[in-house]
Amino acid sequence: MKVLVIGTGGREHALVWALAQDPDVEEVVAAPGNPGIAALHPAYDGQTIVCRPVDVSDHAAVVALATEIGADLVVVGPEAPLVAGLADPLREAGIAVFGPSKDAAQLEGSKAFAKDVMAAASVPTSRAYVCTTPEQAAEAIDAFGPPYVVKDDALAAGKGVVVTSDRDEALAHAAGCAQVLIEEFLDGPEVSLFAITDGTTVLPMQPAQDFKRLGDNDEGPNTGGMGAYTPLPWAPEGLVAEVTELVLQPTVDEMRRRGTPFSGLLYAGLALTSRGLRVIEFNCRFGDPETQALLPMLKTPLGGLLLAAATGKLADYDQLSWRNGSAVAVVVAAKKYPASPRSGDQIAGVEQAESGGVQVFHAGTALDGEELVTSGGRVLAVSATGKDLDEARQRAYAGVGQIRIKGSQHRTDIALKAARGEIDV
């Protein structure tokens, strides 16, 4: 099987890395890819891993590339091209795609649309007001009271949500959005649960947790994610079955009923509140950085799994198989991230880190001549596995300690509470 992976980030690096370990995958092309993906090729005998330039927003160019290489499967990594409808012309060209159609991707592209689907499917979620004027937003904010939850209805690269007790800050964020959702605050720990689906069958992955705030103890601004771990030793027994029954399967069934079946990766962001399970949001693709923790734990060959989802044959799988132990991924971010991340800083120590048994997934890197430099806010994710969370944490942070980037920042408490037997809320 030949697989084309669309995207440039850490999620795509992890997908290529996992696909390359599937014995049925003989070639992986990443477009545009990144320096970390390009460096994978020598590690795999008998397989080809290459990067090809392409403008992801040029759908015709992507279809042409997929046709040229004879791709058996295209995996679209980021949300923006999915919401823009990249999967549609690929399918029209007769190419199997892992990723939802433009209409189905509105589950992530519009939070108001997702709320409408959840209401129709009786999926438990937070109460919310959809607002298009400052006056509506102010009225909704006052109706709920602090802490205020304000969400940009459109895509915002994981940074469109503000949770604050400062009313002025909440109003300012709302004013900067064309359409905004004001929601009730949900207490309790948060969980990320991914599911592979072909539009009918739903196969849940094991739960993970990510860390959105920049600093330790969940302080500082919201980010795209500073780290993740899996599995969750504190998760209630039967959580995956409950989420599948109450959230994932009803949502997939409702999308099919509407004539816009959802095929690909359905990501449910969940809150385990004092009043029960609630959906915070849906995403239409593998999450970042949870993917960098989940895929090293997945035993089921990824290529065959994604192809089955893309071709309506997921019912051939009873369940997914997982390795024993735990995984922790720690993000190393550039100086001044997330406000104005600095680019062009030299990155050193990646090879030393990987020699210690961790996997370093590139997210915001580039080559300046032969020198590896920063090119984005979240630069790298250092992922490690272990017999338990404590061992995985030790290995991941040892890898982080080998990497040198001027002014870089990372959290020191990823999975710390869980490793101590506590729940991280």
Side-chain angles (χ1 to χ4, degrees):
M1 176 171 27
K2 294 183 179 180
V3 184
L4 173 62
V5 177
I6 301 298
T8 63
R11 161 188 44 233
E12 289 75 41
H13 188 172
L15 285 166
V16 172
W17 175 83
L19 286 164
Q21 296 175 65
D22 184 333
D24 291 331
V25 175
E26 66 177 8
E27 182 175 351
V28 185
V29 177
N34 64 41
I37 295 173
L40 280 174
H41 178 58
Y44 296 93
D45 294 332
Q47 290 172 309
T48 302
I49 303 171
V50 296
C51 294
R52 292 283 299 271
V54 74
D55 180 355
V56 173
S57 65
D58 185 342
H59 294 180
V62 175
V63 172
L65 176 60
T67 303
E68 175 196 334
I69 67 173
D72 300 292
L73 174 68
V74 177
V75 179
V76 184
E79 62 274 23
L82 286 168
V83 172
L86 176 57
D88 296 332
L90 286 163
R91 288 196 176 98
E92 290 167 5
I95 301 167
V97 184
F98 184 81
S101 66
K102 180 177 183 177
D103 290 341
Q106 287 305 301
L107 271 179
E108 179 170 1
S110 169
K111 293 178 177 63
F113 175 83
K115 287 289 188 183
D116 184 65
V117 171
M118 284 188 270
S122 299
V123 170
T125 187
S126 58
R127 294 180 296 125
Y129 294 103
V130 179
C131 306
T132 56
T133 68
E135 293 76 19
Q136 290 175 345
E139 185 177 348
I141 282 170
D142 292 338
F144 281 129
Y148 308 106
V149 181
V150 186
K151 296 182 178 181
D152 191 338
D153 181 55
L155 292 180
K159 297 185 284 291
V161 180
V162 165
V163 181
T164 180
S165 293
D166 185 328
R167 184 175 182 274
D168 290 339
E169 182 183 2
L171 289 171
H173 184 64
C177 306
Q179 181 164 284
V180 69
L181 271 71
I182 311 297
E183 299 189 2
E184 66 174 328
F185 177 77
L186 298 176
D187 62 351
E190 295 187 9
V191 175
S192 299
L193 189 61
F194 299 178
I196 309 288
T197 179
D198 60 5
T200 301
T201 300
V202 174
L203 276 184
M205 303 184 82
Q206 68 183 25
Q209 187 178 55
D210 77 332
F211 294 73
K212 289 295 187 187
R213 297 286 184 175
L214 179 67
D216 288 356
N217 301 311
D218 281 332
E219 296 180 353
N222 203 36
T223 74
M226 294 300 293
Y229 69 96
T230 186
L232 311 182
W234 48 265
E237 186 176 353
L239 175 64
V240 173
E242 180 185 12
V243 175
T244 303
E245 178 184 357
L246 297 181
V247 176
L248 300 172
Q249 191 68 59
T251 300
V252 169
D253 291 345
E254 171 62 18
M255 292 296 288
R256 188 175 64 253
R257 186 194 68 78
R258 292 177 175 224
T260 53
F262 187 101
S263 172
L265 193 290
L266 180 59
Y267 167 141
L270 309 163
L272 308 186
T273 78
S274 55
R275 294 170 291 138
L277 175 72
R278 297 288 187 274
V279 174
I280 301 170
E281 65 177 356
F282 283 130
N283 291 336
C284 65
R285 38 69 192 182
F286 280 98
D288 184 345
E290 296 99 324
T291 300
Q292 291 91 306
L294 279 164
L295 291 186
M297 298 297 294
L298 181 66
K299 287 179 66 176
T300 301
L302 186 64
L305 175 66
L306 301 189
L307 182 63
T311 55
K313 299 178 180 178
L314 204 57
D316 294 346
Y317 287 78
D318 292 330
Q319 60 183 0
L320 301 180
S321 179
W322 298 91
R323 295 181 173 86
N324 294 325
S326 299
V328 173
V330 180
V331 169
V332 179
K335 185 175 182 179
K336 296 186 179 180
Y337 175 74
S340 55
R342 195 169 69 184
S343 296
D345 286 320
Q346 182 180 4
I347 302 169
V350 171
E351 290 183 0
Q352 294 95 313
E354 292 190 323
S355 68
V358 305
Q359 183 64 45
V360 179
F361 294 115
H362 293 228
T365 69
L367 289 175
D368 182 2
E370 295 185 357
E371 186 175 282
L372 187 67
V373 298
T374 62
S375 66
R378 292 185 297 167
V379 180
L380 304 164
V382 180
S383 181
T385 59
K387 66 179 185 296
D388 54 27
L389 278 178
D390 188 57
E391 184 174 81
R393 270 181 48 81
Q394 291 181 26
R395 291 176 176 175
Y397 278 106
V400 170
Q402 295 287 324
I403 294 171
R404 300 178 300 283
I405 305 170
K406 186 177 181 180
S408 67
Q409 46 191 329
H410 67 272
R411 285 184 61 155
T412 66
D413 63 347
I414 304 300
L416 178 60
K417 288 184 178 179
R420 292 173 174 171
E422 304 170 13
I423 297 177
D424 199 320
V425 296

